Amino acid sequence: MDPKNPPESGRIESVDIMRGFTILVMAFVNDLADFAPVKDVPQWLRHMKPDVNGFTFVDLIIPVFMFILGISVPLALGKRLARGDSPLQVFGHILTRAGSLIIIGLMDANRGAGLGRPYGDMLDWPHGLWKFLAWTFVFLVWLDVPLKSPLSKNARRGIRIAGLIGLVWLAVVFRNPSGGPFTIGRWATLGQLGWAYLFASITWLVFRDNKLGIMGVFALMHCLFIGIKSGLFQDVWL
């Protein structure tokens, strides 16, 4: 599909269907296998155990979502360039979207010790209150509502600012059950998607139709990954 000549509807139905199906399966396995107190769930509906050399279809959900993200980058950004947006404007859009995913990912990574994670419920707060407020503020900031009147648009802008202030407040006051502060050591799935989107989008914006350049970055990242796993960069903070 040529990103410079999208279909008349402006949507690629196959990509939308694949994305929707992946999100549906993602929500299903999260609720059934990992987060809800459901007993006797068969292994094929869970992530493969860490000590087993294998995978289930659950382990493929995030890779497939990453694949869809990569497909969407040239389509979405190419459409913006085709309609007259400057590269600087497109870069601003990339930063906004990536930053949004990273922020939501950070809130998600700090949200629940009851899930067997090292970061969790707010110390000395009622169980689940911090999570409830975090997701409430997330919806206030990123829920997209079609508005027409100037008054409603100004109200929406004020609600978004209030939501952002609320998220900053939750991050500042957060203490996990062990007394530890809000952490950025884990990004959660949405945060990882945000970083992947940022890097992939900037790569495409720089190289666009230069397939050799994109393949070179692809190879470079694989070499970097091998180096990280072998301990080559263990003393490098980044």
Side-chain angles (χ1 to χ4, degrees):
M1 181 63 64
D2 185 357
K4 297 179 181 179
N5 297 289
E8 294 182 2
S9 65
R11 307 293 303 183
I12 309 297
E13 292 184 356
S14 58
V15 176
D16 285 341
I17 291 171
M18 190 175 184
R19 182 188 294 116
F21 180 73
T22 305
I23 293 174
L24 175 64
V25 176
M26 184 189 303
F28 172 75
V29 299
N30 281 350
D31 288 339
L32 180 63
D34 292 329
F35 301 128
V38 180
K39 297 181 180 179
D40 301 323
V41 176
Q43 180 58 51
W44 66 272
L45 284 176
R46 293 181 180 272
H47 288 291
M48 184 60 74
K49 297 178 180 179
D51 58 346
V52 177
N53 186 15
F55 62 90
T56 68
F57 86 96
V58 180
D59 297 305
L60 296 176
I61 293 174
I62 296 305
V64 169
F65 203 95
M66 287 281 191
F67 176 73
I68 299 170
L69 182 150
I71 291 175
S72 302
V73 165
L75 295 172
L77 301 187
K79 186 191 301 182
R80 286 181 172 272
L81 291 172
R83 74 186 185 193
D85 287 7
S86 68
L88 187 60
Q89 288 174 312
V90 174
F91 180 67
H93 170 76
I94 292 170
L95 289 181
T96 300
R97 176 159 289 189
S100 299
L101 288 168
I102 292 169
I103 291 172
I104 298 174
L106 284 173
M107 304 309 291
D108 186 43
N110 284 272
R111 71 186 170 86
L115 309 180
R117 294 177 177 177
Y119 315 109
D121 288 340
M122 187 59 184
L123 181 66
D124 298 330
W125 279 31
H127 176 72
L129 178 59
W130 191 90
K131 291 184 286 186
F132 173 78
L133 291 176
W135 284 105
T136 298
F137 289 139
V138 164
F139 274 98
L140 289 179
V141 175
W142 284 285
L143 185 63
D144 191 13
V145 181
L147 303 171
K148 294 183 180 180
S149 69
L151 180 61
S152 61
K153 290 181 179 179
N154 288 332
R156 180 75 186 97
R157 189 175 297 111
I159 291 173
R160 279 185 166 167
I161 293 173
L164 283 172
I165 293 174
L167 289 175
V168 172
W169 170 69
L170 285 178
V172 171
V173 302
F174 178 81
R175 294 295 181 273
N176 65 34
S178 301
F182 189 89
T183 180
I184 58 172
R186 292 173 62 91
W187 302 103
T189 299
L190 288 174
Q192 292 172 5
L193 287 168
W195 286 111
Y197 172 80
L198 177 65
F199 184 80
S201 297
I202 292 176
T203 299
W204 184 84
L205 194 61
V206 170
F207 292 102
R208 301 190 198 179
D209 294 332
N210 186 340
K211 295 181 177 61
L212 185 61
I214 292 177
M215 291 172 63
V217 173
F218 181 79
L220 177 64
M221 293 306 295
H222 274 70
C223 293
L224 182 60
F225 176 79
I226 294 171
I228 290 173
K229 286 300 182 179
S230 64
L232 184 61
F233 304 104
Q234 61 183 355
D235 296 326
V236 180
W237 70 270
L238 184 59

